[in-house]
Amino acid sequence: MLYDRTLLQSSGRQTGAFKEMCEQFVEKTDQEPKCLYYGFSFFEDQVHCREGYQDAEGLLAHLENVGPLLQEALKISELTRLEIHGPEEELATLRERLAELQPQFFTLEYGFRR
């Protein structure tokens, strides 16, 4: 399983417009079979998108699915941090393919999930 933590900063008065786009993101993502959870949280003009996928291919399929919408969202916001957490074998699949987004990769070593 992979956990993705995306932080964005909306551009001033554009937070309302960004929130409207979130409905579209959720609608598109709801159709993805490998997405385990997906949601947006807000604090002032900061946006936190928390997402989980069965594997690296699920995350890559998501990025392809929402790609055009993401490009529109980045016109009114700035990607301030992207973290991807998961087993090394899944992260290895993503390192080169996501290099342009400059994520931080965190290797999951200990824990459990119910």
Side-chain angles (χ1 to χ4, degrees), residues 97-113:
R97 295 172 81 177
L98 299 184
E100 184 179 306
L101 295 173
Q102 300 178 335
Q104 287 184 294
F105 291 98
F106 290 82
T107 304
L108 178 63
E109 296 183 14
Y110 307 99
F112 66 92
R113 186 167 182 87

Side-chain angles (χ1 to χ4, degrees), residues 3-9 46-51 74 77-85 101-106:
Y3 164 71
D4 178 351
R5 179 174 177 248
T6 307
L7 297 173
L8 300 118
Q9 185 88 29
Q46 296 175 47
V47 182
H48 180 202
C49 181
R50 187 172 158 267
E51 19 189 331
L74 291 174
S77 65
E78 176 187 354
L79 180 63
T80 57
R81 184 178 182 102
L82 175 59
E83 296 178 5
I84 301 174
H85 302 248
L101 295 173
Q102 300 178 335
Q104 287 184 294
F105 291 98
F106 290 82

Side-chain angles (χ1 to χ4, degrees), residues 13 17 21 29 35 40 44 60 73 75 78 83-84 86-88 95 105:
R13 289 178 240 137
M21 295 181 97
T29 304
C35 182
F40 291 89
E44 296 175 352
L60 292 170
K75 291 178 182 176
E78 176 187 354
E83 296 178 5
I84 301 174
E88 181 54 41
R95 289 182 198 283
F105 291 98

Side-chain angles (χ1 to χ4, degrees), residues 8 15-29 38-42 47-49 69 73:
L8 300 118
T15 301
F18 190 93
K19 285 183 176 184
E20 289 176 15
M21 295 181 97
C22 289
E23 291 180 29
Q24 296 173 57
F25 276 109
V26 170
E27 186 176 301
K28 289 179 84 58
T29 304
Y38 188 81
F40 291 89
S41 304
F42 293 85
V47 182
H48 180 202
C49 181
L69 185 57

